[in-house]
PDB file of all heavy atoms in Angstrom:
ATOM      1  N   ARG A   1     125.159  92.458  63.830  1.00 90.00           N
ATOM      2  CA  ARG A   1     124.666  91.117  64.118  1.00 90.00           C
ATOM      3  C   ARG A   1     124.864  90.806  65.606  1.00 90.00           C
ATOM      4  O   ARG A   1     125.815  91.284  66.228  1.00 90.00           O
ATOM      5  CB  ARG A   1     125.408  90.052  63.285  1.00 90.00           C
ATOM      6  CG  ARG A   1     125.192  90.175  61.786  1.00 90.00           C
ATOM      7  CD  ARG A   1     123.760  89.871  61.391  1.00 90.00           C
ATOM      8  NE  ARG A   1     123.564  89.910  59.953  1.00 90.00           N
ATOM      9  CZ  ARG A   1     123.204  90.998  59.272  1.00 90.00           C
ATOM     10  NH1 ARG A   1     123.033  92.143  59.917  1.00 90.00           N
ATOM     11  NH2 ARG A   1     123.023  90.948  57.974  1.00 90.00           N
ATOM     12  N   ILE A   2     123.954  90.010  66.160  1.00 91.00           N
ATOM     13  CA  ILE A   2     124.104  89.488  67.516  1.00 91.00           C
ATOM     14  C   ILE A   2     124.876  88.183  67.421  1.00 91.00           C
ATOM     15  O   ILE A   2     124.371  87.201  66.884  1.00 91.00           O
ATOM     16  CB  ILE A   2     122.738  89.282  68.191  1.00 91.00           C
ATOM     17  CG1 ILE A   2     122.009  90.616  68.336  1.00 91.00           C
ATOM     18  CG2 ILE A   2     122.911  88.611  69.543  1.00 91.00           C
ATOM     19  CD1 ILE A   2     120.606  90.487  68.909  1.00 91.00           C
ATOM     20  N   ARG A   3     126.098  88.181  67.922  1.00 91.00           N
ATOM     21  CA  ARG A   3     126.964  87.003  67.790  1.00 91.00           C
ATOM     22  C   ARG A   3     127.100  86.231  69.098  1.00 91.00           C
ATOM     23  O   ARG A   3     127.777  85.208  69.130  1.00 91.00           O
ATOM     24  CB  ARG A   3     128.341  87.447  67.288  1.00 91.00           C
ATOM     25  CG  ARG A   3     128.250  88.237  65.975  1.00 91.00           C
ATOM     26  CD  ARG A   3     129.592  88.535  65.367  1.00 91.00           C
ATOM     27  NE  ARG A   3     129.462  89.406  64.208  1.00 91.00           N
ATOM     28  CZ  ARG A   3     129.086  89.016  62.993  1.00 91.00           C
ATOM     29  NH1 ARG A   3     128.798  87.747  62.788  1.00 91.00           N
ATOM     30  NH2 ARG A   3     128.987  89.883  61.999  1.00 91.00           N
ATOM     31  N   GLY A   4     126.478  86.728  70.159  1.00 86.00           N
ATOM     32  CA  GLY A   4     126.483  86.007  71.414  1.00 86.00           C
ATOM     33  C   GLY A   4     125.302  85.048  71.505  1.00 86.00           C
ATOM     34  O   GLY A   4     124.551  84.863  70.539  1.00 86.00           O
ATOM     35  N   SER A   5     125.103  84.484  72.670  1.00 92.00           N
ATOM     36  CA  SER A   5     123.993  83.549  72.877  1.00 92.00           C
ATOM     37  C   SER A   5     122.684  84.310  73.068  1.00 92.00           C
ATOM     38  O   SER A   5     122.670  85.527  73.295  1.00 92.00           O
ATOM     39  CB  SER A   5     124.270  82.677  74.101  1.00 92.00           C
ATOM     40  OG  SER A   5     124.242  83.464  75.286  1.00 92.00           O
ATOM     41  N   LEU A   6     121.589  83.580  72.990  1.00 93.00           N
ATOM     42  CA  LEU A   6     120.267  84.186  73.185  1.00 93.00           C
ATOM     43  C   LEU A   6     120.141  84.761  74.594  1.00 93.00           C
ATOM     44  O   LEU A   6     119.611  85.867  74.785  1.00 93.00           O
ATOM     45  CB  LEU A   6     119.176  83.139  72.941  1.00 93.00           C
ATOM     46  CG  LEU A   6     117.726  83.597  73.211  1.00 93.00           C
ATOM     47  CD1 LEU A   6     117.351  84.765  72.314  1.00 93.00           C
ATOM     48  CD2 LEU A   6     116.764  82.425  73.029  1.00 93.00           C
ATOM     49  N   LEU A   7     120.639  84.029  75.590  1.00 95.00           N
ATOM     50  CA  LEU A   7     120.561  84.494  76.975  1.00 95.00           C
ATOM     51  C   LEU A   7     121.345  85.791  77.157  1.00 95.00           C
ATOM     52  O   LEU A   7     120.890  86.721  77.834  1.00 95.00           O
ATOM     53  CB  LEU A   7     121.088  83.412  77.917  1.00 95.00           C
ATOM     54  CG  LEU A   7     120.969  83.717  79.416  1.00 95.00           C
ATOM     55  CD1 LEU A   7     119.504  83.920  79.803  1.00 95.00           C
ATOM     56  CD2 LEU A   7     121.593  82.592  80.239  1.00 95.00           C
ATOM     57  N   GLU A   8     122.519  85.862  76.552  1.00 95.00           N
ATOM     58  CA  GLU A   8     123.331  87.082  76.641  1.00 95.00           C
ATOM     59  C   GLU A   8     122.640  88.244  75.947  1.00 95.00           C
ATOM     60  O   GLU A   8     122.667  89.379  76.440  1.00 95.00           O
ATOM     61  CB  GLU A   8     124.712  86.834  76.018  1.00 95.00           C
ATOM     62  CG  GLU A   8     125.610  85.933  76.853  1.00 95.00           C
ATOM     63  CD  GLU A   8     126.894  85.587  76.145  1.00 95.00           C
ATOM     64  OE1 GLU A   8     126.877  85.493  74.893  1.00 95.00           O
ATOM     65  OE2 GLU A   8     127.914  85.413  76.831  1.00 95.00           O
ATOM     66  N   ALA A   9     122.003  87.986  74.819  1.00 94.00           N
ATOM     67  CA  ALA A   9     121.282  89.048  74.108  1.00 94.00           C
ATOM     68  C   ALA A   9     120.106  89.563  74.937  1.00 94.00           C
ATOM     69  O   ALA A   9     119.864  90.776  75.014  1.00 94.00           O
ATOM     70  CB  ALA A   9     120.792  88.540  72.759  1.00 94.00           C
ATOM     71  N   LEU A  10     119.383  88.651  75.580  1.00 96.00           N
ATOM     72  CA  LEU A  10     118.257  89.070  76.421  1.00 96.00           C
ATOM     73  C   LEU A  10     118.750  89.884  77.612  1.00 96.00           C
ATOM     74  O   LEU A  10     118.115  90.881  78.003  1.00 96.00           O
ATOM     75  CB  LEU A  10     117.485  87.844  76.901  1.00 96.00           C
ATOM     76  CG  LEU A  10     116.707  87.073  75.824  1.00 96.00           C
ATOM     77  CD1 LEU A  10     116.070  85.821  76.423  1.00 96.00           C
ATOM     78  CD2 LEU A  10     115.642  87.955  75.177  1.00 96.00           C
ATOM     79  N   LEU A  11     119.877  89.500  78.180  1.00 96.00           N
ATOM     80  CA  LEU A  11     120.459  90.267  79.281  1.00 96.00           C
ATOM     81  C   LEU A  11     120.858  91.655  78.806  1.00 96.00           C
ATOM     82  O   LEU A  11     120.674  92.648  79.525  1.00 96.00           O
ATOM     83  CB  LEU A  11     121.664  89.532  79.861  1.00 96.00           C
ATOM     84  CG  LEU A  11     122.422  90.247  80.999  1.00 96.00           C
ATOM     85  CD1 LEU A  11     121.486  90.549  82.160  1.00 96.00           C
ATOM     86  CD2 LEU A  11     123.623  89.414  81.442  1.00 96.00           C
ATOM     87  N   ALA A  12     121.394  91.732  77.594  1.00 96.00           N
ATOM     88  CA  ALA A  12     121.784  93.031  77.040  1.00 96.00           C
ATOM     89  C   ALA A  12     120.576  93.945  76.891  1.00 96.00           C
ATOM     90  O   ALA A  12     120.621  95.125  77.261  1.00 96.00           O
ATOM     91  CB  ALA A  12     122.475  92.835  75.689  1.00 96.00           C
ATOM     92  N   PHE A  13     119.472  93.420  76.361  1.00 96.00           N
ATOM     93  CA  PHE A  13     118.272  94.244  76.208  1.00 96.00           C
ATOM     94  C   PHE A  13     117.704  94.629  77.578  1.00 96.00           C
ATOM     95  O   PHE A  13     117.166  95.748  77.737  1.00 96.00           O
ATOM     96  CB  PHE A  13     117.233  93.506  75.369  1.00 96.00           C
ATOM     97  CG  PHE A  13     117.542  93.487  73.907  1.00 96.00           C
ATOM     98  CD1 PHE A  13     117.766  92.295  73.236  1.00 96.00           C
ATOM     99  CD2 PHE A  13     117.599  94.674  73.177  1.00 96.00           C
ATOM    100  CE1 PHE A  13     118.049  92.276  71.878  1.00 96.00           C
ATOM    101  CE2 PHE A  13     117.885  94.665  71.818  1.00 96.00           C
ATOM    102  CZ  PHE A  13     118.117  93.471  71.173  1.00 96.00           C
ATOM    103  N   PHE A  14     117.806  93.734  78.554  1.00 97.00           N
ATOM    104  CA  PHE A  14     117.345  94.077  79.895  1.00 97.00           C
ATOM    105  C   PHE A  14     118.164  95.233  80.476  1.00 97.00           C
ATOM    106  O   PHE A  14     117.608  96.174  81.049  1.00 97.00           O
ATOM    107  CB  PHE A  14     117.456  92.852  80.815  1.00 97.00           C
ATOM    108  CG  PHE A  14     117.260  93.180  82.272  1.00 97.00           C
ATOM    109  CD1 PHE A  14     115.988  93.386  82.787  1.00 97.00           C
ATOM    110  CD2 PHE A  14     118.364  93.294  83.125  1.00 97.00           C
ATOM    111  CE1 PHE A  14     115.807  93.704  84.130  1.00 97.00           C
ATOM    112  CE2 PHE A  14     118.196  93.619  84.468  1.00 97.00           C
ATOM    113  CZ  PHE A  14     116.909  93.819  84.972  1.00 97.00           C
ATOM    114  N   ILE A  15     119.490  95.182  80.328  1.00 97.00           N
ATOM    115  CA  ILE A  15     120.352  96.265  80.823  1.00 97.00           C
ATOM    116  C   ILE A  15     120.015  97.570  80.117  1.00 97.00           C
ATOM    117  O   ILE A  15     119.951  98.639  80.752  1.00 97.00           O
ATOM    118  CB  ILE A  15     121.829  95.891  80.609  1.00 97.00           C
ATOM    119  CG1 ILE A  15     122.230  94.733  81.532  1.00 97.00           C
ATOM    120  CG2 ILE A  15     122.737  97.094  80.825  1.00 97.00           C
ATOM    121  CD1 ILE A  15     123.617  94.192  81.280  1.00 97.00           C
ATOM    122  N   LEU A  16     119.768  97.506  78.823  1.00 96.00           N
ATOM    123  CA  LEU A  16     119.437  98.706  78.062  1.00 96.00           C
ATOM    124  C   LEU A  16     118.139  99.332  78.563  1.00 96.00           C
ATOM    125  O   LEU A  16     118.054 100.553  78.752  1.00 96.00           O
ATOM    126  CB  LEU A  16     119.324  98.352  76.579  1.00 96.00           C
ATOM    127  CG  LEU A  16     119.009  99.494  75.613  1.00 96.00           C
ATOM    128  CD1 LEU A  16     120.104 100.552  75.654  1.00 96.00           C
ATOM    129  CD2 LEU A  16     118.840  98.954  74.197  1.00 96.00           C
ATOM    130  N   LEU A  17     117.120  98.512  78.798  1.00 96.00           N
ATOM    131  CA  LEU A  17     115.830  99.048  79.252  1.00 96.00           C
ATOM    132  C   LEU A  17     115.900  99.504  80.715  1.00 96.00           C
ATOM    133  O   LEU A  17     115.218 100.464  81.094  1.00 96.00           O
ATOM    134  CB  LEU A  17     114.736  98.001  79.055  1.00 96.00           C
ATOM    135  CG  LEU A  17     114.447  97.642  77.596  1.00 96.00           C
ATOM    136  CD1 LEU A  17     113.397  96.553  77.500  1.00 96.00           C
ATOM    137  CD2 LEU A  17     114.000  98.883  76.804  1.00 96.00           C
ATOM    138  N   LEU A  18     116.714  98.839  81.523  1.00 97.00           N
ATOM    139  CA  LEU A  18     116.921  99.299  82.899  1.00 97.00           C
ATOM    140  C   LEU A  18     117.577 100.676  82.884  1.00 97.00           C
ATOM    141  O   LEU A  18     117.169 101.572  83.646  1.00 97.00           O
ATOM    142  CB  LEU A  18     117.795  98.310  83.657  1.00 97.00           C
ATOM    143  CG  LEU A  18     118.172  98.696  85.098  1.00 97.00           C
ATOM    144  CD1 LEU A  18     116.929  98.782  85.981  1.00 97.00           C
ATOM    145  CD2 LEU A  18     119.175  97.697  85.678  1.00 97.00           C
ATOM    146  N   PHE A  19     118.552 100.860  82.027  1.00 97.00           N
ATOM    147  CA  PHE A  19     119.198 102.164  81.897  1.00 97.00           C
ATOM    148  C   PHE A  19     118.207 103.213  81.393  1.00 97.00           C
ATOM    149  O   PHE A  19     118.196 104.353  81.876  1.00 97.00           O
ATOM    150  CB  PHE A  19     120.390 102.063  80.936  1.00 97.00           C
ATOM    151  CG  PHE A  19     121.132 103.354  80.744  1.00 97.00           C
ATOM    152  CD1 PHE A  19     121.945 103.855  81.754  1.00 97.00           C
ATOM    153  CD2 PHE A  19     121.023 104.061  79.563  1.00 97.00           C
ATOM    154  CE1 PHE A  19     122.635 105.048  81.584  1.00 97.00           C
ATOM    155  CE2 PHE A  19     121.706 105.248  79.379  1.00 97.00           C
ATOM    156  CZ  PHE A  19     122.525 105.744  80.393  1.00 97.00           C
ATOM    157  N   SER A  20     117.347 102.827  80.456  1.00 95.00           N
ATOM    158  CA  SER A  20     116.318 103.737  79.946  1.00 95.00           C
ATOM    159  C   SER A  20     115.379 104.177  81.065  1.00 95.00           C
ATOM    160  O   SER A  20     115.032 105.365  81.183  1.00 95.00           O
ATOM    161  CB  SER A  20     115.521 103.049  78.835  1.00 95.00           C
ATOM    162  OG  SER A  20     114.426 103.848  78.428  1.00 95.00           O
ATOM    163  N   PHE A  21     114.954 103.224  81.904  1.00 96.00           N
ATOM    164  CA  PHE A  21     114.057 103.542  83.012  1.00 96.00           C
ATOM    165  C   PHE A  21     114.725 104.488  83.998  1.00 96.00           C
ATOM    166  O   PHE A  21     114.101 105.434  84.506  1.00 96.00           O
ATOM    167  CB  PHE A  21     113.631 102.247  83.702  1.00 96.00           C
ATOM    168  CG  PHE A  21     112.544 102.417  84.720  1.00 96.00           C
ATOM    169  CD1 PHE A  21     111.283 102.862  84.361  1.00 96.00           C
ATOM    170  CD2 PHE A  21     112.780 102.124  86.063  1.00 96.00           C
ATOM    171  CE1 PHE A  21     110.276 103.009  85.311  1.00 96.00           C
ATOM    172  CE2 PHE A  21     111.781 102.268  87.011  1.00 96.00           C
ATOM    173  CZ  PHE A  21     110.525 102.718  86.634  1.00 96.00           C
ATOM    174  N   ALA A  22     116.010 104.243  84.273  1.00 96.00           N
ATOM    175  CA  ALA A  22     116.742 105.122  85.184  1.00 96.00           C
ATOM    176  C   ALA A  22     116.850 106.537  84.628  1.00 96.00           C
ATOM    177  O   ALA A  22     116.653 107.529  85.347  1.00 96.00           O
ATOM    178  CB  ALA A  22     118.138 104.543  85.452  1.00 96.00           C
ATOM    179  N   MET A  23     117.132 106.647  83.337  1.00 95.00           N
ATOM    180  CA  MET A  23     117.253 107.970  82.720  1.00 95.00           C
ATOM    181  C   MET A  23     115.917 108.695  82.705  1.00 95.00           C
ATOM    182  O   MET A  23     115.863 109.933  82.769  1.00 95.00           O
ATOM    183  CB  MET A  23     117.804 107.826  81.300  1.00 95.00           C
ATOM    184  CG  MET A  23     119.227 107.308  81.231  1.00 95.00           C
ATOM    185  SD  MET A  23     120.424 108.398  82.042  1.00 95.00           S
ATOM    186  CE  MET A  23     120.401 109.784  80.923  1.00 95.00           C
ATOM    187  N   SER A  24     114.818 107.959  82.634  1.00 94.00           N
ATOM    188  CA  SER A  24     113.495 108.582  82.679  1.00 94.00           C
ATOM    189  C   SER A  24     113.261 109.297  84.002  1.00 94.00           C
ATOM    190  O   SER A  24     112.626 110.352  84.047  1.00 94.00           O
ATOM    191  CB  SER A  24     112.396 107.541  82.447  1.00 94.00           C
ATOM    192  OG  SER A  24     112.419 107.049  81.136  1.00 94.00           O
ATOM    193  N   TRP A  25     113.798 108.735  85.080  1.00 94.00           N
ATOM    194  CA  TRP A  25     113.633 109.383  86.384  1.00 94.00           C
ATOM    195  C   TRP A  25     114.496 110.633  86.493  1.00 94.00           C
ATOM    196  O   TRP A  25     114.129 111.596  87.177  1.00 94.00           O
ATOM    197  CB  TRP A  25     113.927 108.399  87.503  1.00 94.00           C
ATOM    198  CG  TRP A  25     112.767 107.479  87.724  1.00 94.00           C
ATOM    199  CD1 TRP A  25     112.586 106.231  87.189  1.00 94.00           C
ATOM    200  CD2 TRP A  25     111.599 107.747  88.503  1.00 94.00           C
ATOM    201  NE1 TRP A  25     111.385 105.711  87.586  1.00 94.00           N
ATOM    202  CE2 TRP A  25     110.751 106.620  88.404  1.00 94.00           C
ATOM    203  CE3 TRP A  25     111.178 108.830  89.272  1.00 94.00           C
ATOM    204  CZ2 TRP A  25     109.521 106.548  89.048  1.00 94.00           C
ATOM    205  CZ3 TRP A  25     109.950 108.766  89.919  1.00 94.00           C
ATOM    206  CH2 TRP A  25     109.138 107.628  89.806  1.00 94.00           C
TER     207      TRP A  25
END
């Protein structure tokens, strides 16, 4: 479950996709 705020969850997904983009390179 996501127990943090919506803003924190969106930041988490942003960090995850930023890491994904970096690993793609």
Side-chain angles (χ1 to χ4, degrees):
R1 296 293 183 269
I2 297 176
R3 304 187 186 281
S5 68
L6 176 60
L7 184 60
E8 288 174 328
L10 291 176
L11 177 58
F13 284 117
F14 169 78
I15 291 173
L16 181 61
L17 295 177
L18 176 64
F19 181 73
S20 174
F21 189 63
M23 294 298 291
S24 292
W25 282 95

